[in-house]
């Protein structure tokens, strides 16, 4: 039993058993402009900004999305109003939201087989 105040830092892979992508999988999803189709249709982002974001992430060769957003996040895309960080954070939320079943957060099907 842990008696001292403790902070556990878990990577994206810790949520994979619950149906969420790994860090690598999330990065791959963010490089696909189609992830942002709805936001483009609603004119929240311009397709040129999204394409530039996806291409910049892909060409960065950075495996960590957090490091990419920390290093390049303040850059404004194509002279518009959106930064790499704003599109990246929105993309992360979109990608994670694709797991529409919240049941896996409270009931792990892999564990229930043992009961």
């Amino acid at each position: 039993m842990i008696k001292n105040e403790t902070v556990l830092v878990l990577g994206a892979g810790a949520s994979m058993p619950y149906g969420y992508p790994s860090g690598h999988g999330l990065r791959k999803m963010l490089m696909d402009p189609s992830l942002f189709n709805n936001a483009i249709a609603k004119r929240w982002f311009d397709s040129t900004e999204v394409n530039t974001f996806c291409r910049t992430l892909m060409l960065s060769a950075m495996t960590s999305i957090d490091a990419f957003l920390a290093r390049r996040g303040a850059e404004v895309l194509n002279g518009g109003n959106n930064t790499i960080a704003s599109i990246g954070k929105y993309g992360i939320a979109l990608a994670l939201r694709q797991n529409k079943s919240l049941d896996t957060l409270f009931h792990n099907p892999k564990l229930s087989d043992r009961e």
Side-chain angles (χ1 to χ4, degrees):
M1 181 165 149
I2 300 172
K3 295 185 180 187
N4 297 328
E5 289 186 22
T6 304
V7 174
L8 301 175
V9 179
L10 305 175
S15 59
M16 287 178 62
Y18 302 96
Y20 291 93
S22 65
H24 174 76
L26 183 58
R27 184 179 185 277
K28 188 174 178 181
M29 292 171 80
L30 289 173
M31 290 188 295
D32 182 0
S34 69
L35 175 68
F36 300 89
N37 283 347
N38 193 36
I40 293 169
K42 292 181 179 183
R43 299 182 192 268
W44 294 342
F45 299 121
D46 179 80
S47 62
T48 305
E49 293 173 327
V50 168
N51 288 329
T52 301
F53 168 81
C54 294
R55 184 165 173 76
T56 303
L57 176 59
M58 180 180 65
L59 295 176
S60 74
M62 296 182 81
T63 56
S64 167
I65 297 165
D66 293 335
F68 173 73
L69 294 179
R71 182 175 295 173
R72 306 279 308 263
E75 294 177 32
V76 177
L77 293 166
N78 298 64
N81 297 320
N82 293 302
T83 62
I84 284 178
S86 64
I87 293 179
K89 290 175 183 180
Y90 185 80
I92 291 168
L94 284 174
L96 296 178
R97 188 171 175 231
Q98 287 184 353
N99 180 336
K100 294 182 175 103
S101 173
L102 295 177
D103 294 341
T104 57
L105 290 175
F106 305 104
H107 173 75
N108 185 340
K110 292 180 182 178
L111 296 177
S112 65
D113 292 342
R114 295 184 221 163
E115 294 176 9

